Amino acid sequence: MAQNEQEMNNQVNETAEGCTHDCSTCGADCGSRTAGIQKAKLNQYSSVKKVIAVVSGKGGVGKSMVTSLCALAATRNGYKTGIMDADITGPSIPKMFGIHDKAFGTEFGITPAMTATEIELMSINLLTENETDPVVWRGPVIGGVVEQFWTDVNWGDLDVLFIDMPPGTGDVPLTVFQSLPIDGIIVVTSPQDLVSMIVAKAVNMAKLMNIPVLGMVENMSYLTCPDCGKKIEVFGPSQADKVAAAQGIKLLEQLPINPELAALADKGHIEYNKGAEMECVLDVLDEIGLKK
């Protein structure tokens, strides 16, 4: 444990000392260089064509909701889809899909849960004895568990795996970006004053790790009045266009506050949603070479 913590500290120190993570032009035999070259090996019985991480610079912006909606949109349009819940200390994906069964192991690896619409799902909540048990682990241990979700889980044959990331730019994002073959990230944000700084942190980390930024989603962008249909900007005027332009990324979608959708998620019935939210992800999949 102490050795793992020291390795993580060394990586942080290297970044602070000016490491650009551009290993192609660097001759130093450092931890970041080694980690950047060695990707974790996917479970031998699995095939995953594309991997997209859904990230946010802060918590509470609806990242798990966006991840779920992306997976639903992809599944409904013929893609074999999976979700890796990498938010180990705050998992919410199983509850949104009404999954309470436990994952189990076979000679082929850990078998993920299957949702009603045949989305494969893996989360720490499928391994703990009780869903409410807290995960009180240090960062390197959490990062190791996320890596095992890639190496030890038998995902079968997937077209796309969406990874619901924890907020921020800490241990788990570092592990995922270095160890897994990420094809790109989708940044989730909300229309608040600090949004430009928060988005910049997430985008800049992706750039440091040479991960493509596929676009930005502004969640809770507005509320539609049920009486007159007027759009009410609850958190103030949207800055999405300005922020996306400043970072040189696409604004994929502006999602409204939707009480009905939130209620479905709370009941574990997110798959009953009839809306077309996040169908923009189909264009994203096309752009990264995954076509139907």
Side-chain angles (χ1 to χ4, degrees):
M1 180 77 71
Q3 183 179 0
N4 288 337
E5 290 184 27
Q6 184 61 48
E7 289 174 356
M8 184 64 68
N9 288 334
N10 288 341
Q11 292 180 16
V12 172
N13 290 336
E14 288 159 6
T15 301
E17 292 171 4
C19 175
T20 64
H21 294 278
D22 184 5
C23 301
S24 62
T25 61
C26 177
D29 190 18
C30 67
S32 291
R33 185 172 187 270
T34 303
I37 294 174
Q38 297 178 343
K39 296 292 185 181
K41 187 177 180 180
L42 178 65
N43 172 275
Q44 63 177 318
Y45 301 104
S46 304
S47 172
V48 179
K49 295 178 182 177
K50 298 294 179 181
V51 182
I52 296 176
V54 182
V55 309
S56 62
K58 65 183 291 294
V61 298
K63 169 184 46 59
S64 297
M65 176 68 78
V66 171
T67 302
S68 300
L69 293 173
C70 284
L72 286 173
T75 298
R76 289 170 178 172
N77 284 274
Y79 294 94
K80 294 190 68 176
T81 308
I83 299 177
M84 179 194 294
D85 187 355
D87 195 349
I88 302 299
T89 60
S92 58
I93 294 292
K95 178 176 173 57
M96 296 174 72
F97 284 88
I99 298 295
H100 302 287
D101 297 332
K102 301 302 178 184
F104 59 92
T106 70
E107 59 184 309
F108 305 109
I110 300 172
T111 301
M114 185 77 75
T115 75
T117 56
E118 299 188 349
I119 296 172
E120 295 191 29
L121 190 158
M122 189 63 208
S123 170
I124 194 66
N125 263 15
L126 305 184
L127 299 175
T128 56
E129 184 175 354
N130 301 300
E131 294 180 350
T132 56
D133 287 346
V135 176
V136 188
W137 297 339
R138 293 189 182 274
V141 178
I142 293 175
V145 171
V146 172
E147 188 171 318
Q148 285 183 290
F149 282 175
W150 178 255
T151 60
D152 295 0
V153 172
N154 181 8
W155 292 101
D157 295 321
L158 292 183
D159 291 315
V160 56
L161 176 67
F162 292 98
I163 303 181
D164 182 27
M165 300 278 276
T169 55
D171 290 332
V172 171
L174 183 62
T175 296
V176 170
F177 288 170
Q178 288 183 331
S179 302
L180 275 58
I182 305 298
D183 293 284
I185 69 168
I186 293 174
V187 181
V188 183
T189 186
S190 59
Q192 296 170 312
D193 289 341
L194 295 177
V195 65
S196 58
M197 181 184 71
I198 298 302
V199 171
K201 286 180 179 290
V203 171
N204 288 337
M205 182 179 187
K207 290 179 179 178
L208 281 173
M209 308 301 292
N210 295 316
I211 305 294
V213 181
L214 304 175
M216 184 181 88
V217 175
E218 184 182 65
N219 192 30
M220 300 180 285
S221 184
Y222 58 89
L223 174 67
T224 302
C225 176
D227 296 323
C228 66
K230 180 181 178 180
K231 291 184 178 181
I232 304 170
E233 294 177 317
V234 178
F235 296 106
S238 171
Q239 304 179 55
D241 289 326
K242 184 190 300 184
V243 172
Q247 295 299 324
I249 60 178
K250 293 181 180 179
L251 176 59
L252 298 175
E253 191 158 344
Q254 291 175 280
L255 295 172
I257 298 172
N258 187 338
E260 294 181 2
L261 186 58
L264 287 175
D266 287 343
K267 295 176 181 178
H269 296 162
I270 188 68
E271 288 166 297
Y272 295 175
N273 177 45
K274 303 299 183 182
E277 294 90 350
M278 289 309 302
E279 288 203 344
C280 59
V281 78
L282 303 178
D283 293 330
V284 170
L285 295 177
D286 185 74
E287 288 178 9
I288 63 176
L290 192 60
K291 299 181 179 181
K292 276 293 180 184

